[in-house]
Amino acid sequence: MSPDPRPVPAPAAVDPAGEPGDREVCADSYAVEADVFADEPAVEPEAGAEAGGAAAGGAEAGGAAPARRGRGAFGFALAAIALLTISFALRPGASSVGPLLDPISEAFGRGETYGGLLTAMPGLCFGVIGLLAVPVAKRLGLTGSIVVAIGIAALGLALRPLSGGGAVFALLTVLALAGPALGNVLVPAWVKRHGGSRTVALMTMYSIVLAAGGTAGTLFSVPIAEAAPDGWRTALGVWSLGAAVPALVWLLVLRRTGHDFQPPAGGGRAPGSLLRSPMAIALTITFGLQSMHAYIQMGWTPSILADAGLAPATAGALASVSFACGMLGGLVMPMVIARVRNLQPIMLAMGVLTASGYAGLLLAPGTAPLLWMLLLGIGGFVFPATIALLPARTRDARVTARLSGMVQPVGYMLAAIGPFAVGLAHEALAGWTAILVVLLVLSLVMGAVAWKASAARMVDDELAPAA
């Protein structure tokens, strides 16, 4: 399905109650700024050329400056390659640890509480460090900040396998996750800033490859560890190579974009606190609950399946199925959001499917583990849906950056509680029954909040001062 070729519409009409109609929001989803992926330079519009509050051609949409030759007008091919490489590199540093928890903990003489800490660290780092993303981007630009982020990730991933103790390993894990923490927030805003008419295509690509990177980390960690002389150390260190490539590509992109975090017209900031937006709050809670499920599944489903009698390699491969489903979700959900008026039943159904997967692991974990992983994976479409809603439910790239800077860091901090709590609970209870019951209930809560988060509204409208 090709991206919508229509010009950028004016802001959606708002009824007296403040609710934009479904049709207007559908038309406004992925409304974009000037298409800076065109090979020819962008043409600067005449001063004052506006229509319905949106600048002609979208060049001033959201207060962004028009692209200049040699900076914004770089080709779609370079943008696509850059997005492919960064998307793949954002997840293996986190997802590769879960299948290797036992040998890592044994190497450092640690127990399940330490394993719970390691599985909680992605959410915690993504949350706390992600709060720095927007301030860093204001100083270095979106592209410059992404270059710094991927360089930090490559360094951490290269040094982590050399750890001689559990504390050093944990500290280097923070370093390895710091880069992805910044990238999580900045990449959707970068796509909104530079995507033009290709925003849907680029967000689809981002979601698919992000899931592919997470799947690769889970799927290949145990086989690499079993084949390599250094075991888990090699299995973790190999992912530093995947971070080196995007670092080089994004240096090329930086030469074309320069500083690309545009200040608001008049030197102010986009109006309104995100805490005034029910949509922003619902998106944050939805993202937090889904990320919690994702990191629990990443860190603990291999152990749940192994305790049910499956071999460790088989358990790791089955756990990767839910992440592989994320690639399908990344392909489908951005286009669904761009085309479907009422997303709410779809989002609610994903919560029910996630609960069904946990019910299967609770009642018959060894009977049909592939089915349970598929249910969890399809229910996990909430993640690419929420990521895709960040640009789809905003008009201004600065609002997108602020929304991403709230939804992802705060959501990840909520998510960090889950894996650590599972580690503590399993060590205390020596079983999975109570844990799976709680996860089942939280899945239904996620579906209910996702219903609110997917309403046909624009965050910009909720931030705008009342007329």
Side-chain angles (χ1 to χ4, degrees), residues 289 293 347-356 358 437-451:
L289 288 173
H293 288 297
M347 299 292 277
L348 179 61
M350 291 177 194
V352 173
L353 288 173
T354 303
S356 301
Y358 286 128
V437 169
V438 172
L439 292 176
L440 189 157
V441 173
L442 288 175
S443 301
L444 298 176
V445 173
M446 178 184 70
V449 180
W451 175 282

Side-chain angles (χ1 to χ4, degrees), residues 270-446:
S273 167
L274 288 172
L275 297 178
R276 289 170 44 189
S277 168
M279 172 74 75
I281 294 171
L283 282 168
T284 301
I285 297 173
T286 300
F287 188 88
L289 288 173
Q290 202 290 319
S291 297
M292 181 195 69
H293 288 297
Y295 286 110
I296 288 173
Q297 292 165 23
M298 184 187 301
W300 292 109
T301 47
S303 298
I304 293 172
L305 294 172
D307 287 352
L310 280 71
T314 302
L318 284 168
S320 71
V321 169
S322 61
F323 297 102
C325 289
M327 289 185 281
L328 177 60
L331 174 64
V332 170
M333 293 313 299
M335 293 186 289
V336 169
I337 288 169
R339 306 295 179 186
V340 176
R341 294 184 186 177
N342 187 4
L343 295 171
Q344 292 177 306
I346 297 174
M347 299 292 277
L348 179 61
M350 291 177 194
V352 173
L353 288 173
T354 303
S356 301
Y358 286 128
L361 289 175
L362 175 64
L363 300 175
T367 302
L370 178 59
L371 175 60
W372 313 143
M373 292 299 101
L374 285 171
L375 290 172
L376 291 175
I378 297 172
F381 282 17
V382 171
F383 178 81
T386 306
I387 290 293
L389 282 169
L390 299 180
R393 290 298 189 260
T394 53
R395 297 188 184 91
D396 186 330
R398 290 172 290 116
V399 176
T400 308
R402 290 175 57 206
L403 181 63
S404 184
M406 171 179 161
V407 168
Q408 298 201 60
V410 177
Y412 279 127
M413 283 190 280
L414 292 175
I417 299 170
F420 186 62
V422 168
L424 291 175
H426 186 249
E427 191 167 25
L429 301 174
W432 298 106
T433 300
I435 294 170
L436 289 169
V437 169
V438 172
L439 292 176
L440 189 157
V441 173
L442 288 175
S443 301
L444 298 176
V445 173
M446 178 184 70

